[in-house]
Amino acid sequence: MSTAEIHRSILAVWRIEQPRLITSLSRMLRDVPLAEDLTQEALVAALEHWPATGVPERPGAWLLATARRRAFDHLRRGKMLARKHEAIARDLVWEQQAMPDLESALDDDIGDELLRLIFTACHPLLSRDARAALALKMICGLTTEEIARAFLISEATVAQRIVRAKRTLSESGLTYETPRGDELAKRLASVLDVVYLVFNEGYTAARGDEWHRPQLCNEALRLGRMLTAIAPQEPEVHGLLALMELNASRGAARTDAQGNPVLLMDQNRALWDRLQITRGLRSLVRVHELGGGGGFYALQAEIVACHTRASGPDDTDWQAIIRFYDALLARVASPVIALNRAVAVGMAEGPVAALEIVDGLKAEPALEHYHLLPAVRGDLLFKLGRHREARAAFELAANLAGNMREREVLKGRAAEADSAAPA
């Protein structure tokens, strides 16, 4: 195996193991930023040793053992061991005296600790954006580039948020903890943000050779299900779970046999997972029972539910979808939501009306490098027979797309527009 192949293997293992490593060290050290630093040291050690010795039979165990050795060295060097033992003992006593419901709901060992970490990173002392960025980077294993894409901001801005958040957590003396009662409620919205963004990155990967990352979707779904047990009276928890279940139900239809993307309008709906749709719709019913039908996640779930109830694009209730997007925009003035609404307008009222909306979004700074803006515009221009303009739009979208599979689809659309253009 070449050095380049070993480096690719290391990074692949790292993406999978990083959350587990940080979870283990955070439980041991009661210090999340320090755990993240020592986990990075384990990665550096792998990059130094594995090219010479080869990838171990159990690479995750090797990384964990190396990270733990670094942690023990740190405790010894800092003469912190006795103080940490005292803190751990106090925490154990406190946890035994605490309400049992939260602990019983978090009965999976890995899930328990991962969720604790996310709640820790989502401390009210940090801004909401900083909480999400820190959790996504340190705990969920997303890259700075992927987080920047999720927030439609620059990588430098994301990096600054993460550095400031880690410094705040370190300097404030905040420990690895499970919030309860009012403290849990204060952090819950940010935790939902994190789970939502993890699912989105899994659903459509920002970078790489594969269009989606099922392991991230599955992890987000698992966390979402756990959160409904922890906060059963919170409608937005059920709204997020409904949204994820309904979107994930399309998984088998979203790619062809070669792994190429199949867009919603072209999917074989017989491949959609009816059991998962049932679970999603049941969660949506629970949202309404709790009086949360106008929530951010609930409204998005309603949009996806419109698709699941239709046999195809032609009998989809596009006017209802537009109304749900209007309600979303009344809550959050997001240009991405406005772009998605334009697609629905195009299906309901035709490409002329939709193109007017899309062209009005071209000046939005947040969409300057967003590949789906020219992609949607190209599709509308193609439907209007303006094939040369459509080709240029698709080519721009392909250049902006970071995911290889998505880029190839857009290049194919550009070639299709070029072929349709008059000589």
Side-chain angles (χ1 to χ4, degrees):
M1 186 180 290
S2 69
T3 300
E5 290 172 330
I6 290 175
H7 281 178
R8 283 196 294 272
S9 297
I10 293 171
L11 294 177
V13 170
W14 176 250
R15 290 188 77 101
I16 296 169
E17 297 294 337
Q18 182 189 13
R20 190 187 302 270
L21 296 176
I22 296 177
T23 295
S24 178
L25 293 190
S26 296
R27 181 171 51 195
M28 173 183 173
L29 297 166
R30 296 301 199 263
D31 187 329
V32 180
L34 176 59
E36 199 262 347
D37 290 342
L38 296 178
T39 301
Q40 293 286 341
E41 290 186 18
L43 171 62
V44 172
L47 290 168
E48 291 173 348
H49 289 88
W50 292 5
T53 63
V55 177
E57 184 177 346
R58 297 175 60 205
W62 189 99
L63 288 167
L64 181 58
T66 301
R68 282 179 171 168
R69 282 197 299 272
R70 297 288 200 279
F72 280 120
D73 289 344
H74 178 86
L75 289 171
R76 282 192 289 266
R77 282 197 308 269
K79 298 180 180 179
M80 295 167 57
L81 194 53
R83 295 200 301 276
K84 289 296 178 183
H85 280 170
E86 291 172 2
I88 291 168
R90 287 195 302 271
D91 287 348
L92 288 173
V93 171
W94 180 59
E95 287 184 8
Q96 289 169 0
Q97 296 172 345
M99 296 182 298
D101 291 345
L102 180 61
E103 294 299 318
S104 62
L106 293 172
D107 57 2
D108 178 88
D109 184 54
I110 297 300
D112 183 344
E113 302 304 331
L114 183 60
L115 206 53
R116 286 172 187 258
L117 270 176
I118 294 174
F119 271 107
T120 298
C122 292
H123 198 283
L125 197 60
L126 306 175
S127 70
R128 186 164 176 172
D129 287 343
R131 296 176 208 173
L134 182 67
L136 290 168
K137 174 69 173 177
M138 288 175 49
I139 302 157
C140 303
L142 271 63
T143 66
T144 304
E145 183 180 28
E146 289 163 352
I147 298 167
R149 179 246 197 184
F151 285 106
L152 295 180
I153 57 177
S154 70
E155 290 183 53
T157 300
V158 171
Q160 289 168 2
R161 285 181 185 175
I162 293 170
V163 168
R164 286 196 295 266
K166 288 173 65 176
R167 185 184 302 123
T168 299
L169 285 182
S170 295
E171 292 176 353
S172 64
L174 297 174
T175 59
Y176 168 81
E177 60 188 346
T178 303
R180 293 169 173 79
D182 291 342
E183 281 299 312
L184 184 146
K186 290 177 184 176
R187 306 184 191 196
L188 186 58
S190 293
V191 173
L192 296 181
D193 288 345
V194 171
V195 174
Y196 172 65
L197 292 171
V198 169
F199 182 87
N200 285 349
E201 175 58 27
Y203 195 69
T204 307
R207 291 288 182 269
D209 297 337
E210 300 304 325
W211 193 38
H212 62 143
R213 298 166 61 186
Q215 73 277 12
L216 286 181
C217 289
N218 292 336
E219 183 65 13
L221 278 163
R222 189 175 65 82
L223 292 172
R225 291 166 187 154
M226 291 169 63
L227 285 166
T228 62
I230 296 167
Q233 300 303 312
E234 291 291 337
E236 275 290 74
V237 174
H238 296 278
L240 175 58
L241 182 58
L243 173 61
M244 294 191 296
E245 295 276 18
L246 292 172
N247 270 325
S249 71
R250 305 174 187 166
R254 293 185 69 233
T255 55
D256 62 18
Q258 290 73 45
N260 298 312
V262 179
L263 302 183
L264 174 63
M265 304 301 176
D266 303 319
Q267 288 174 15
N268 178 1
R269 300 190 180 205
L271 297 176
W272 290 5
D273 187 330
R274 305 312 302 182
L275 178 60
Q276 201 156 27
I277 289 171
T278 299
R279 288 201 299 262
L281 294 177
R282 188 182 301 132
S283 293
L284 199 50
V285 168
R286 184 60 181 150
V287 171
H288 289 285
E289 291 173 349
L290 294 169
F296 177 69
Y297 299 115
L299 288 168
Q300 292 181 76
E302 292 282 11
I303 291 168
V304 185
C306 287
H307 295 298
T308 65
R309 295 183 180 114
S311 61
D314 291 340
D315 68 341
T316 299
D317 190 346
W318 293 105
Q319 290 295 346
I321 289 175
I322 292 170
R323 289 194 297 272
F324 286 128
Y325 274 126
D326 287 338
L328 269 173
L329 285 168
R331 288 183 59 91
V332 182
S334 164
V336 173
I337 294 173
L339 179 62
N340 292 337
R341 179 184 179 277
V343 174
V345 169
M347 297 301 296
E349 302 174 17
V352 173
L355 185 61
E356 184 179 353
I357 297 171
V358 171
D359 284 344
L361 293 171
K362 289 166 66 177
E364 286 284 348
L367 299 183
E368 183 180 359
H369 301 291
Y370 189 55
H371 69 288
L372 292 181
L373 177 64
V376 170
R377 189 169 185 273
D379 185 63
L380 296 171
L381 289 166
F382 187 90
K383 290 175 179 177
L384 290 169
R386 295 161 60 178
H387 296 117
R388 287 196 177 88
E389 293 174 82
R391 181 193 65 190
F394 285 130
E395 287 174 346
L396 174 59
N399 289 334
L400 291 173
N403 182 277
M404 184 271 287
R405 298 279 186 177
E406 203 165 14
R407 187 162 54 247
E408 290 304 313
V409 168
L410 292 165
K411 286 181 178 178
R413 293 299 309 274
E416 181 187 6
D418 189 50
S419 299

